[in-house]
Amino acid sequence: SLIMGYTPGSSPLTLPTVSPMKLGMTMPANSQVYFAMHYPAGSYGTFDSTKVIFHFYPQGETGVREVTTAPILQNWSFSLPPNQETSVYAQYPATGGLPANISVLSSFPHMHLLGKSMRVYGIKPNLDTVKFINLPDWDFEWQDFYFFKNIQKADIGSTIKVDAVYDNTSANPHNPNSPPITVTAGLNTTDEMCLVYFHYMLYLPGDENYNMEDLLNQSAALVEIEDES
């Protein structure tokens, strides 16, 4: 169960912790917490000052809503021929639609060095579009979970989609291969990925009306007061 991912340009994960929007993620008793770090070549022998800090609610706290983090959109079967731009798609669910109304808190698109653009959106049963995020100029050095100012509702029966474009030509200054070669999906930075993570939870009426920025500011102020005391 993923809690958070950190990438170049991202910021620490914070969630609202004050009424009427107390959010969190359950860490069951006896859970093991894994931290996976990617290091570049030449890092051996150097020191890492990375810190991970968890904030917990007081024991017995009530009214906390469960948030899930997951790569809802994935495509691992694509191939990017050299010297051309290629479009890659993914959809969730693969067939049918969402089984329940969902409140979407954030969207985190992820590609590597050949990424050019990515558009993430939902299609409602009435064919209206829910706009999550549109990145016309992908930058590998600037990634994050982009939290919405207002929660986005994905209606039951909707589908979630991503349209991604990759530039595997010599005109792409970030292309790691000269001359370009065929690139497939994989875990290395010189491979490619088509993933979109989301923070989401079951929808409750009125979720879309909350101002998440205000709630986060109130939560941060409360944490600061508690830390000082």
Side-chain angles (χ1 to χ4, degrees):
S1 179
L2 180 68
I3 295 178
M4 176 62 176
Y6 184 88
T7 49
S10 68
S11 53
L13 168 66
T14 57
L15 295 171
T17 58
V18 294
S19 295
M21 185 65 70
K22 294 190 290 185
L23 307 181
M25 302 177 191
T26 301
M27 297 173 67
N30 301 313
S31 296
Q32 291 182 312
V33 179
Y34 286 86
F35 179 76
M37 174 72 86
H38 294 243
Y39 294 106
S43 299
Y44 185 79
T46 60
F47 290 94
D48 180 355
S49 59
T50 301
K51 295 180 180 179
V52 178
I53 301 172
F54 294 104
H55 291 268
F56 294 93
Y57 285 100
Q59 188 172 0
E61 185 82 10
T62 60
V64 179
R65 296 174 62 183
E66 186 75 21
V67 174
T68 300
T69 314
I72 296 299
L73 296 171
Q74 303 185 47
N75 187 331
W76 294 98
S77 61
F78 61 90
S79 178
L80 307 176
N83 303 309
Q84 71 177 55
E85 294 185 2
T86 303
S87 296
V88 176
Y89 307 95
Q91 173 181 308
Y92 181 85
T95 58
L98 296 177
N101 292 323
I102 301 297
S103 289
V104 183
L105 307 175
S106 76
S107 176
F108 179 2
H110 182 62
M111 299 187 286
H112 287 172
L113 301 174
L114 299 183
K116 181 177 182 180
S117 63
M118 184 176 270
R119 187 166 64 102
V120 185
Y121 57 98
I123 302 295
K124 296 182 179 182
N126 64 1
L127 302 184
D128 282 348
T129 301
V130 181
K131 298 178 180 179
F132 291 123
I133 193 165
N134 181 24
L135 298 173
D137 187 11
W138 169 257
D139 185 348
F140 180 73
E141 300 297 331
W142 196 257
Q143 306 179 50
D144 206 349
F145 279 91
Y146 299 96
F147 279 81
F148 305 113
K149 182 175 181 178
N150 294 98
I151 292 172
Q152 301 298 300
K153 180 186 178 186
D155 292 325
I156 186 172
S158 299
T159 55
I160 310 298
K161 298 175 178 285
V162 57
D163 301 342
V165 178
Y166 298 83
D167 182 357
N168 192 12
T169 70
S170 56
N172 178 357
H174 307 292
N175 196 325
N177 303 300
S178 182
I181 61 173
T182 297
V183 175
T184 56
L187 300 180
N188 294 317
T189 303
T190 51
D191 301 322
E192 265 305 333
M193 282 187 170
C194 182
L195 294 175
V196 184
Y197 292 82
F198 295 90
H199 284 105
Y200 62 93
M201 60 188 180
L202 289 175
Y203 172 81
L204 290 181
D207 277 354
E208 62 270 57
N209 297 323
Y210 292 119
N211 186 310
M212 297 296 286
E213 291 183 359
D214 288 345
L215 291 171
L216 283 169
N217 288 335
Q218 294 175 37
S219 301
L222 181 62
V223 169
E224 185 175 344
I225 292 173
E226 292 175 345
D227 288 344
E228 290 177 351
S229 61

